[in-house]
Amino acid sequence: MKKSAAIHKAPQKKPAAVSVALDQPGIPALDFGSAWEYSAAPESTSVTVQDRYELFIGGKFVRPKSGRYFQSVNPATEKPLARIAQANAADVDSAVKAARKAYDGVWGKMSGRERGKYLFRIARMIQERARELAILETMDGGKPIKESRDVDLPLVAAHFFYYAGWADKLNYAFPGKSARSIGVAGQIIPWNFPLMMAAWKIAPALACGNTVVLKPAETTSITAMHLAQIFQDAGLPDGVVNIITGVGRTGAALVEHPDIDKIAFTGSTDVGKKIAAAVAGSGKRLTLELGGKAANILMEDAPINQAVEGIINGIFFNQGHVCCAGSRLLVEESVYPQVLRRLRDRMRTLRVGDPLDKNTDIGAINSREQLNRICELVDSGVEEGAELFQSPCALPGSGYWFRPSFFTGVTASHRIAREEIFGPVLSVMTFRTPAEAIERANNTCYGLSAGIWTDKGSKIFKMASQLKAGVIWANTYNKFDPTSPFGGYKESGFGREGGLHGLLPYVVLE
Ligand code: NAP
Ligand code: MG
């Protein structure tokens, strides 16, 4: 049984053929009708959300052995979208067995050249279905369509293209060494960039010759199952990628399974620590991409309008559901009043609301639990004496929403300056000297990302060398590229994803 999302059923009219007769004998009329047909706009793309999504194991969609399903809701409306299969330990075991069989029988033996062809085909099919996937991503997760359409989906395809290119060149990636695959990788991904995180994990694993069991986050499993359909349609051999959904114990069952060779996790630092403890002494390889509390450092010589725009993007992009979000702003004291004024003015113009509207800047918070977490931390900021500014924008009646906000009067000991809020909330602080800015920026248990805004290249180099963060943007923020490695220091985790470095967790070098 399938149901269509009624809101997307706008009729697709075929444009009438337009003939232009050139007034010269012997020259035929040009027919623009067939040559100039554009793809349908996202608004008129019809998507089908299934009533129920099964597990993807051994190349087939199978009912969970648990017999249980859980509900995924649209966070912008609070309406149920679909029921998602709940995998138990027996389902996890079936998925790992399917991955092992595919590794031993097919994928582990296949030449890199052949593996690359599959990855290219998958990348092409993602591009072809990008609009449908973008709409589903927005409906299930709450992110604005302009982000899922223009940021997430292009990057998802780009990751598959990029790693397709490496599949037959692993020995060039590591000169003088021979790179061999590891085996079966268990991958657990979060809800903030569901398809993008799936691509970051699956593409390098497959390029290096490993097979995969992927566990999506419980609030955003739908697009992973549509990706599974693409794997099927691409003819990817059965069991090379298996996708198991679940809530509660599914992730832990995957981590604890004895036949897994490698675990890759992106999510909270608390769960990352539990996973590190669970795999300790097991011989399983591990990479962790955890939380962050990034500082954006704004120097007085920066182009202020451009910087404010970048800072807004850095914290309000994807509702602040970004591990590398620039959630602390450090402003040089001399320009503080000016920056605050511009920040307030710009925030007043941000549009919060229907994520499927292409004019929306800030969509829905991913879940009620996440909204509660944001509210609790913001309340703590007010209780601890910081001053809160919130955009006065109207919010929709149902759904999970949070106004773009910033705090001033924040001290380093406040919870809002130390803990990851993972929502559209900025903490603004000041500094007098570059040394003080560096000290404040590094004064955190995290080390994922940072930003520097200045007119002087020399300042960028000097500060970047002193900041303890895996990714540092200068005069821009939140820019991603498959060729560029991404990952953290300290409690932000270890291991890199993306670029040549992103191959390393998936190979043994001999
Ligand atoms: P979370 O608790 O970190 O992660 C949930 C995922 O981890 C689920 O798929 C869950 O699956 C699995 N999991 C939980 N316990 C596990 C265990 N012991 N072993 C293996 N897997 C386990 O994320 P959340 O609760 O959705 O978000 C909480 C906070 O995490 C957010 O407020 C935010 O600060 C942070 N976060 C960070 C990122 C990032 O990109 N770094 C992304 C999302 C969230 P099961 O339910 O099946 O166990
Ligand atoms: Mg959902």
Side-chain angles (χ1 to χ4, degrees):
M1 274 278 285
K2 295 183 166 187
K3 68 173 178 240
S4 284
I7 36 177
H8 297 298
K9 278 197 146 176
Q12 293 184 28
K13 266 198 206 152
K14 232 184 156 186
V18 182
S19 294
V20 180
L22 297 180
D23 207 10
Q24 288 178 33
I27 297 182
L30 293 176
D31 179 356
F32 289 118
S34 55
W36 286 15
E37 269 182 38
Y38 294 104
S39 301
E43 297 82 343
S44 55
T45 302
S46 150
V47 301
T48 303
V49 184
Q50 293 173 207
D51 283 342
R52 204 172 70 188
Y53 287 89
E54 311 292 1
L55 305 172
F56 184 61
I57 297 178
K60 294 179 187 58
F61 291 95
V62 297
R63 302 191 67 161
K65 293 195 171 94
S66 71
R68 288 174 47 220
Y69 294 82
F70 61 95
Q71 197 68 250
S72 197
V73 302
N74 179 339
T77 60
E78 297 177 59
K79 294 214 171 95
L81 267 181
R83 287 183 304 138
I84 313 286
Q86 168 72 45
N88 63 15
D91 295 305
V92 172
D93 186 53
S94 302
V96 175
K97 285 205 170 91
R100 177 63 60 191
K101 190 169 163 214
Y103 179 71
D104 291 340
V106 191
W107 200 252
K109 299 179 189 163
M110 194 183 277
S111 70
R113 190 152 171 253
E114 289 304 306
R115 293 198 304 271
K117 285 185 199 168
Y118 282 105
L119 291 172
F120 271 120
R121 192 184 291 169
I122 291 164
R124 292 276 305 273
M125 293 174 80
I126 289 168
Q127 283 186 322
E128 280 160 16
R129 291 175 61 176
R131 284 161 193 256
E132 166 206 336
L133 292 169
I135 290 168
L136 288 169
E137 197 80 310
T138 284
M139 288 171 78
D140 200 18
K143 64 171 61 195
I145 188 72
K146 71 177 175 190
E147 283 172 18
S148 43
R149 181 194 62 189
D150 300 343
V151 181
D152 294 49
L153 263 299
L155 279 167
V156 171
H159 261 82
F160 277 98
F161 276 124
Y162 177 74
Y163 282 106
W166 273 123
D168 62 347
K169 303 177 193 70
L170 296 179
N171 292 335
Y172 297 92
F174 309 107
K177 304 235 161 131
S178 145
R180 116 180 124 67
S181 55
I182 295 173
V184 177
Q187 307 179 322
I188 301 171
I189 54 170
W191 40 260
N192 49 350
F193 293 92
L195 273 174
M196 207 162 108
M197 291 297 110
W200 281 27
K201 299 257 180 312
I202 294 173
L206 263 47
C208 295
N210 307 281
T211 57
V212 162
V213 179
L214 179 88
K215 154 76 174 74
E218 69 257 22
T219 55
T220 53
S221 299
I222 291 178
T223 47
M225 302 325 292
H226 285 251
L227 186 62
Q229 289 163 7
I230 289 180
F231 294 146
Q232 244 186 1
D233 294 346
L236 190 69
D238 294 349
V240 172
V241 177
N242 307 275
I243 304 183
I244 47 161
T245 46
V247 51
R249 279 280 309 160
T250 315
L254 183 60
V255 168
E256 288 157 16
H257 196 288
D259 203 25
I260 291 277
D261 299 300
K262 188 221 152 40
I263 292 288
F265 172 77
T266 299
S268 66
T269 297
D270 284 351
V271 174
K273 284 179 180 170
K274 282 188 200 153
I275 293 177
V279 303
S282 68
K284 287 173 192 162
R285 293 208 183 182
L286 178 65
T287 41
L288 297 174
E289 201 265 273
L290 309 174
K293 194 73 192 173
N296 243 322
I297 302 174
L298 202 169
M299 313 290 291
E300 64 177 5
D301 59 6
I304 302 289
N305 282 344
Q306 188 189 328
V308 166
E309 200 57 34
I311 284 151
I312 294 261
N313 169 53
I315 182 63
F316 300 132
F317 173 62
N318 202 24
Q319 297 70 249
H321 295 338
V322 187
C323 46
C324 52
S327 52
R328 292 180 298 153
L329 171 61
L330 305 179
V331 187
E332 193 154 358
E333 224 171 59
S334 50
V335 288
Y336 180 65
Q338 185 186 349
V339 168
L340 273 196
R341 199 170 54 244
R342 292 194 192 189
L343 206 53
R344 265 193 217 108
D345 289 349
R346 181 67 180 95
M347 279 168 62
R348 286 195 178 100
T349 68
L350 292 175
R351 294 175 64 118
V352 183
D354 181 5
L356 284 164
D357 180 338
K358 65 187 174 197
N359 296 311
T360 291
D361 297 305
I362 299 185
I365 300 302
N366 183 264
S367 65
R368 182 173 293 286
E369 292 71 43
Q370 189 57 27
L371 180 59
N372 291 343
R373 237 174 257 151
I374 296 169
C375 292
E376 196 264 320
L377 269 160
V378 168
D379 288 348
S380 84
V382 175
E383 274 160 30
E384 289 184 320
E387 195 180 324
L388 177 66
F389 169 82
Q390 295 196 297
S391 160
C393 61
L395 299 181
S398 58
Y400 316 131
W401 310 95
F402 200 85
R403 290 195 167 82
S405 312
F406 71 75
F407 276 107
T408 50
V410 181
T411 70
S413 63
H414 285 162
R415 283 183 66 200
I416 50 168
R418 290 184 288 117
E419 295 181 30
E420 187 175 41
I421 302 178
F422 227 64
V425 183
L426 180 67
S427 295
V428 189
M429 289 166 272
T430 57
F431 67 89
R432 286 188 185 154
T433 63
E436 190 190 349
I438 296 287
E439 196 200 306
R440 289 192 155 218
N442 287 339
N443 184 13
T444 163
C445 61
Y446 296 110
L448 192 55
S449 55
I452 307 167
W453 298 85
T454 170
D455 196 32
K456 302 270 181 300
S458 54
K459 281 191 196 168
I460 292 171
F461 286 117
K462 184 153 186 216
M463 296 183 92
S465 67
Q466 293 169 349
L467 285 167
K468 293 197 173 56
V471 181
I472 299 168
W473 285 287
N475 292 332
T476 186
Y477 206 85
N478 272 342
K479 291 282 182 289
F480 302 96
D481 190 286
T483 63
S484 174
F486 184 90
Y489 286 86
K490 300 194 273 184
E491 292 196 19
S492 293
F494 49 81
R496 294 291 177 266
E497 293 184 302
L500 189 151
H501 302 70
L503 297 167
L504 269 170
Y506 293 101
V507 289
V508 178
L509 296 179
E510 286 165 341

